[in-house]
Amino acid sequence: MTVRIDGKALADDIVEKVALDVAAFKRDQKVTPGLAVVLVGEDPASAVYVRNKVKRANQAGLNSTEHYLAKDTSQEELDKLISQLNQDDSVHGILVQLPLPKHLDESHVIEAISPAKDVDGFHPQNVGNLVTGQKSLIPCTPLGCMIMLNREIDDLSGKNAVVIGRSNIVGKPMASLLLQANCTVTTVHSKTQGIESICRNADILVAAVGQALLVKKEWVKPGAVIIDVGINSVEVEGKRRLLGDVDYDQVSSIAGAITPVPGGVGPMTIACLMQNTLTAAQHQLGV
Ligand code: NAD
């Protein structure tokens, strides 16, 4: 029997727990943890993500402020806003929604955010801490994937884990977290030769590519746990549908457990953002 990992239900549980912890934090510290979300431009997918994040922040009892900037906002204007948010004591977490319009320098923006408020976990200081196994803010998507894996698998130690994709926001931090959990980790990517046979050896397979239905049944070891990070908007029979990187219909017949798209990793990412905002506030107030 293949387990369908219900990311939505698990995310609801996490947000409920964060809400309880936020209430206790407010009571004890007399401070409401604050999340500032910055969106530059009008990318429709980004606007949906920001709306969902704000909705969840409200459910968790966080103070959320949104900053909507025009698509032609200059680097200087964006830098100035980030600097203000860095200095604002009511803001404990800063999230700049990516991707940014082409004329803005993403790396520069990530580095401008105070590492203590970097709830996306993308700042080089947090990346370094993650890789060296020190306390850090962990990128939300891989954090959500790890929570799901830890629930499905009693002991990750010694498992063969394959991560498809090597981006800074998903693939690389995912591989670091799996390594820390004592998995034997292989990262495969667009230049990898013989990807299918490498994946077939995986007890844990994480797909973070951005290609609809790339992972087929033949790529999967029977009983493997499959985490599908991909979100691909594809037209199917005249209708827009969200599909993952994994061919769910095929793979679910042999996997031990699998996340659906939608309703898997996506909701967990947002729930982990709430958790990270609380964590950031706790660290900043020395709790
Ligand atoms: P990215 O484009 O930055 O990276 C994609 C990676 O896939 C690259 O490292 C590339 O080498 C690799 N790749 C490309 N083609 C490949 C192939 N044929 N075989 C193997 N590897 C290949 O993307 P990303 O930001 O890491 O996002 C990946 C996917 O995850 C996207 O669909 C994105 O929308 C989704 N995503 C979802 C969430 C969520 O919350 N669920 C969060 C972030 C990203």
Side-chain angles (χ1 to χ4, degrees), residues 49 141 164-167 169-171 188-191 195 208-211 214 219 229-232 245 265-266 269:
Y49 294 143
T141 301
I164 317 178
R166 55 173 163 181
S167 70
I169 63 170
V170 191
V188 297
H189 48 79
S190 54
K191 306 285 185 219
I195 214 166
V209 181
Q211 272 189 39
L214 175 76
W219 295 40
V229 180
I231 302 177
N232 307 289
D245 290 343
V265 176
T269 297

Side-chain angles (χ1 to χ4, degrees), residues 35-258:
L35 172 67
V37 182
V38 180
L39 177 61
V40 187
E42 288 124 29
D43 176 54
S46 294
V48 172
Y49 294 143
V50 166
R51 264 206 305 280
N52 289 336
K53 287 169 185 174
V54 170
K55 195 172 131 206
R56 277 303 207 184
N58 292 334
Q59 284 172 5
L62 302 169
N63 216 346
S64 90
T65 50
E66 300 92 62
H67 301 265
Y68 294 100
L69 306 183
K71 65 174 184 295
D72 59 356
T73 297
S74 68
Q75 187 77 58
E76 290 70 30
E77 285 170 300
L78 183 55
D79 287 353
K80 194 170 157 212
L81 172 62
I82 292 172
S83 167
Q84 281 166 2
L85 295 172
N86 281 339
Q87 284 159 36
D88 185 340
D89 287 342
S90 70
V91 172
H92 303 92
I94 302 170
L95 179 143
V96 178
Q97 184 67 45
L98 302 178
L100 289 169
K102 292 266 176 291
H103 67 283
L104 297 170
D105 180 345
E106 252 172 41
S107 304
H108 172 86
V109 169
I110 289 168
E111 287 176 37
I113 297 170
S114 159
K117 297 189 177 187
D118 167 39
V119 282
D120 256 338
F122 296 161
H123 191 284
Q125 190 172 312
N126 283 317
V127 175
N129 285 343
L130 172 64
V131 172
T132 52
Q134 297 176 70
K135 207 155 97 177
S136 68
L137 286 162
I138 297 169
C140 303
T141 301
L143 180 58
C145 295
M146 285 307 289
I147 293 172
M148 293 194 282
L149 285 171
N150 278 311
R151 280 176 59 109
E152 279 321 307
I153 301 172
D154 286 340
D155 185 8
L156 294 177
S157 188
K159 300 284 184 207
N160 278 334
V162 174
V163 179
I164 317 178
R166 55 173 163 181
S167 70
N168 289 339
I169 63 170
V170 191
K172 285 180 193 159
M174 188 71 226
S176 289
L177 288 167
L178 288 163
L179 192 58
Q180 253 170 50
N182 296 321
C183 292
T184 303
V185 185
T186 307
T187 299
V188 297
H189 48 79
S190 54
K191 306 285 185 219
T192 301
Q193 311 265 321
I195 214 166
E196 188 178 319
S197 62
I198 299 171
C199 291
R200 214 166 31 234
N201 195 31
D203 304 306
I204 295 165
L205 184 60
V206 181
V209 181
Q211 272 189 39
L213 313 184
L214 175 76
V215 177
K216 301 291 181 193
K217 195 174 169 182
E218 298 73 36
W219 295 40
V220 173
K221 178 175 169 179
V225 177
I226 314 293
I227 305 288
D228 190 354
V229 180
I231 302 177
N232 307 289
S233 174
V234 177
E235 195 163 309
V236 182
E237 290 162 4
K239 282 192 192 145
R240 283 261 139 216
R241 277 189 59 198
L242 286 187
L243 297 176
D245 290 343
V246 178
D247 192 329
Y248 185 95
D249 291 342
Q250 279 192 14
V251 170
S252 59
S253 65
I254 60 162
I258 181 168

